[in-house]
Amino acid sequence: MTDLIHTEKELVQSLREYIRAEEYKLAAVKNWASKLDALTQVSTSDPEGYLAHPVNAYKLMKRLNTEWPELESLVLQNPSDGFVANMSVHRQYFPDAEDQTGAAKALMRLQDTYQLDSEAFSKGKLPGVHSNAELTVDDCFDMGKTAYNDADYYHAVLWFQQSLKQLDGGEEAVVSKAEILDYLSYSVYQMGDLPRAVELTRRLVAVDPSHERAGGNLRYFELLLSKQLNEMNQAYQPASEESIQLGTYTRPKDHLPEREAYEALCRGEGVQMTKARQSRLFCRYQDGNRNPRLLLKPMKEEDEWDNPHIVRYLEMLSDIEIEKIKELAKPRLARATVRDPKTGVLTTANYRVSKSAWLEGEEDVVIDRVNQRIEDITGLTVETAELLQVANYGVGGQYEPHFDFSRMSDVEAGGATVFPDFGAVIWPRKGTAVFWYNLFRSGEGDYRTRHAACPVLVGSKWVSNKWIHERGQEFRRPCGLTEVD
């Protein structure tokens, strides 16, 4: 996307060149028209007298034979050719409809995870960040349409309401109030709020009495509401005059059982870091059991969690190494995949939103050096490990709770790694590496290590992962006496 920023700047320059060419062309045509207008005023007042002068007769012949065809050629010139050609060259790199939909869903994902209302997004007010990045009435309406087309009426209501609020506030827009009310009233109906659906549809009828669906929808909603009130033996109560906002409706449940705990941890809530646990966490210099490469410069190791044991290594990567790894990975970044449990085929999934690349040690001395460093500090062989994976999580990028059976960059907000089972949060810190075992010495999986990468709220998170297989570690990490040693 950083490349697209530069592409857009180039297209703006091309557009300005086109505008200048059009203005030059129009000025030339205007000048010609003014000159000829004055001339024809004189010539048509007395045609025979005008043509009696031989110079006038010659100039008339010249104008019609030479100058008018030149004007015709000028008018037929298309200054847009350069701009159109530039557009054609870059269009192949433009995001498509799927990309736009994905970006909209990313905002909704952030909205849910960090409990942000639509107005906060619309005004660019994110936690710890204030910018001029604002959403217009039409932007909010398009967000609502994205959710609506996906039958996600919960988010559709929030964004259509925000679009209506900004329109009522006097903001100019292409979308009409009737269109917003049409979508909003139906979405509210789908959320089961009949009183509000009736009230909004009445507003729609008042704004556009000839609307093709409004009258029929109003009668239908009123009939359903009447039946509902009779069944509950209740009198009609007008809908609340408060605008719909985050919390007005309950978000529907989804496939993830620990959704609430996971998102709370992403916000830094519900962290189970007690004083007793904190007293068991230490920092130390790690020399890899007197590894020669670490004797003169041991690694700084910090405990992040006591049980299961999670540690962080500081200054694992230098800035130069980070930039080199990113340089090698960027051309190969592709949407991260997961293995379909039914078919075994690698496929993309909404619960894993990132781009990744795989780097071999032979490709560059930096990769080889990083692999050796991992082996030195863990005491495990990387001969049987997977290649070094580099992943980029842009805004909204995430990986929901999963089992796996090293961080590279800071982010402004969000992007933590959380462990819902025992309430741990590991915040990203540039150049550090985080290490834990997800298998017991017996080879049995440690199900407590189910973890997730929280959505990035502001910034871009680069991570490098190294999955070390148990095969090859028989003498470096031998089995214990029980399954859970």
Side-chain angles (χ1 to χ4, degrees), residues 374-390:
I374 291 171
E375 182 166 313
D376 291 343
I377 62 176
T378 63
L380 302 172
T381 179
V382 295
E383 290 297 319
T384 55
E386 296 186 20
L387 300 179
L388 190 70
Q389 187 204 51
V390 181

Side-chain angles (χ1 to χ4, degrees), residues 426-441:
I426 312 295
W427 297 102
R429 286 160 61 186
K430 185 178 181 181
T432 69
V434 174
F435 175 75
W436 69 87
Y437 288 103
N438 55 33
L439 298 178
F440 292 109
R441 288 177 175 272

Side-chain angles (χ1 to χ4, degrees), residues 43-72:
S43 63
T44 55
S45 63
D46 180 11
E48 289 188 9
Y50 177 81
L51 292 172
H53 197 295
V55 172
N56 287 341
Y58 163 73
K59 293 191 74 171
L60 177 62
M61 296 298 113
K62 181 187 175 187
R63 283 198 303 276
L64 293 171
N65 182 57
T66 304
E67 296 179 9
W68 275 101
E70 288 176 354
L71 178 63
E72 182 183 27

Side-chain angles (χ1 to χ4, degrees), residues 85-128:
N86 207 3
M87 280 283 292
S88 300
V89 169
H90 291 295
R91 187 176 285 113
Q92 60 182 315
Y93 305 111
F94 281 13
D96 56 19
E98 183 182 1
D99 294 319
Q100 182 178 336
T101 298
K105 289 182 177 180
L107 291 188
M108 296 174 205
R109 188 157 56 243
L110 295 173
Q111 185 176 23
D112 292 338
T113 304
Y114 299 106
Q115 294 186 344
L116 304 169
D117 60 34
S118 303
E119 186 168 12
F121 264 116
S122 178
K123 303 304 179 188
K125 297 176 181 177
L126 302 179

Side-chain angles (χ1 to χ4, degrees), residues 178-469:
E179 191 171 4
I180 298 174
L181 286 168
D182 184 22
Y183 277 97
L184 177 57
S185 59
Y186 186 76
S187 299
V188 165
Y189 156 69
Q190 287 288 350
M191 290 302 295
D193 190 347
L194 281 172
R196 202 184 294 263
V198 168
E199 186 269 329
L200 288 167
T201 310
R202 284 173 179 168
R203 283 184 64 184
L204 173 57
V205 171
V207 169
D208 184 2
S210 62
H211 193 280
E212 58 180 346
R213 288 184 302 277
N217 283 355
L218 180 58
R219 288 189 294 274
Y220 178 64
F221 294 158
E222 287 177 334
L223 178 63
L224 289 179
L225 180 59
S226 176
K227 286 182 178 180
Q228 186 183 83
L229 293 173
N230 287 335
E231 290 173 1
M232 300 173 67
N233 197 26
Q234 291 181 352
Y236 173 74
Q237 293 288 335
S240 170
E241 294 185 3
E242 291 185 7
S243 62
I244 302 165
Q245 54 193 341
L246 205 65
T248 299
Y249 301 122
T250 302
R251 179 160 50 124
K253 299 290 184 183
D254 65 4
H255 65 281
L256 196 61
E258 67 262 67
R259 168 74 63 190
E260 291 183 8
Y262 152 58
E263 292 181 347
L265 286 171
C266 289
R267 296 191 297 272
E269 301 169 6
V271 182
Q272 301 300 310
M273 179 57 75
T274 62
K275 288 185 177 180
R277 170 167 284 121
Q278 201 160 23
S279 70
R280 295 192 291 271
L281 304 182
F282 299 93
C283 59
R284 64 192 68 83
Y285 285 106
Q286 170 65 268
D287 64 6
N289 290 323
R290 299 192 63 76
N291 185 294
R293 281 178 289 270
L294 296 177
L295 281 177
L296 294 179
K297 189 181 178 183
M299 189 66 65
K300 297 172 183 175
E301 182 182 282
E302 292 180 353
D303 291 332
E304 287 279 352
W305 207 259
D306 59 340
N307 189 22
H309 194 204
I310 302 174
V311 297
R312 185 194 296 268
Y313 296 104
L314 278 63
E315 300 171 9
M316 174 71 178
L317 296 174
S318 68
D319 287 350
I320 294 174
E321 289 173 328
I322 289 172
E323 291 309 312
K324 186 61 181 180
I325 292 172
K326 288 166 67 175
E327 177 191 323
L328 293 169
K330 274 184 179 179
R332 307 183 201 177
L333 288 175
R335 176 74 186 268
T337 56
V338 296
R339 195 169 297 280
D340 189 306
K342 294 181 180 178
T343 65
V345 176
L346 290 174
T347 183
T348 59
N350 289 333
Y351 61 82
R352 187 181 191 184
V353 183
S354 65
K355 286 194 168 189
S356 62
W358 300 85
L359 303 178
E360 297 192 39
E362 295 79 12
E363 294 181 50
D364 193 275
V365 65
V366 168
I367 307 303
D368 190 48
R369 192 162 64 228
V370 169
N371 285 334
Q372 183 63 60
R373 196 174 299 152
I374 291 171
E375 182 166 313
D376 291 343
I377 62 176
T378 63
L380 302 172
T381 179
V382 295
E383 290 297 319
T384 55
E386 296 186 20
L387 300 179
L388 190 70
Q389 187 204 51
V390 181
N392 175 240
Y393 294 82
V395 173
Q398 64 159 3
Y399 196 173
E400 289 181 355
H402 62 282
F403 297 109
D404 277 343
F405 289 124
S406 9
R407 300 266 164 267
M408 283 173 64
S409 64
D410 296 319
V411 297
E412 281 82 349
T417 297
V418 298
F419 294 78
D421 187 75
F422 50 89
V425 176
I426 312 295
W427 297 102
R429 286 160 61 186
K430 185 178 181 181
T432 69
V434 174
F435 175 75
W436 69 87
Y437 288 103
N438 55 33
L439 298 178
F440 292 109
R441 288 177 175 272
S442 64
E444 292 296 317
D446 186 346
Y447 288 90
R448 298 172 301 171
T449 61
R450 181 172 168 86
H451 61 285
C454 296
V456 176
L457 180 57
V458 181
S460 178
K461 183 174 76 170
W462 286 86
V463 302
S464 187
N465 299 305
K466 189 75 172 179
W467 285 284
I468 304 173
H469 292 193

